[in-house]
Amino acid sequence: MNYQAQLNLGDVDSPIPMIRTKETLDLLSANDVLKVTVARDSAVKNIKTLIANNTFELLQEGKEADQFVLWIKKV
C-alpha cells in the first residue's frame, strides 16, 4: 500500500504512540496515508480510538514480524 508518511514507534509506552500518530496526521493533507508500526496491543487500541473520534480512516491493519502495522488515511 502506498503511503506519504511513516511512524515506527516500536515498543514505546502509551499514550506516546497515539500522540505521535495524531501529530503526524495533523500535518498531512487530506487523503494522505500514514503507516504506523507499534509493538503493543494497547497502542493499537489507543490509535483505533483516535481514529474513531477524528476524521481519519483505518484502511488496513496487519502484522510485520512482531509489530502491529496500521495504515491510516486522513479524510
Side-chain angles (χ1 to χ4, degrees), residues 14-30:
S14 290
I16 300 302
M18 181 186 65
I19 293 167
R20 295 281 187 269
T21 299
K22 173 80 165 84
E23 290 172 344
T24 303
L25 284 164
D26 285 345
L27 295 173
L28 296 178
S29 300

Side-chain angles (χ1 to χ4, degrees), residues 56-73:
F56 309 131
E57 178 184 349
L58 180 60
L59 297 176
Q60 187 174 335
E61 178 181 359
K63 280 195 99 171
E64 292 178 0
D66 60 345
Q67 304 280 307
F68 297 97
V69 183
L70 298 102
W71 287 266
I72 305 165
K73 179 180 176 180

Side-chain angles (χ1 to χ4, degrees), residues 15-60:
I16 300 302
M18 181 186 65
I19 293 167
R20 295 281 187 269
T21 299
K22 173 80 165 84
E23 290 172 344
T24 303
L25 284 164
D26 285 345
L27 295 173
L28 296 178
S29 300
N31 297 314
D32 282 353
V33 175
L34 171 65
K35 178 183 177 184
V36 180
T37 305
V38 295
R40 297 181 185 214
D41 187 51
S42 61
V44 173
K45 289 178 184 175
N46 288 338
I47 292 170
K48 284 183 175 182
T49 300
L50 170 74
I51 293 166
N53 292 321
N54 289 276
T55 56
F56 309 131
E57 178 184 349
L58 180 60
L59 297 176
Q60 187 174 335

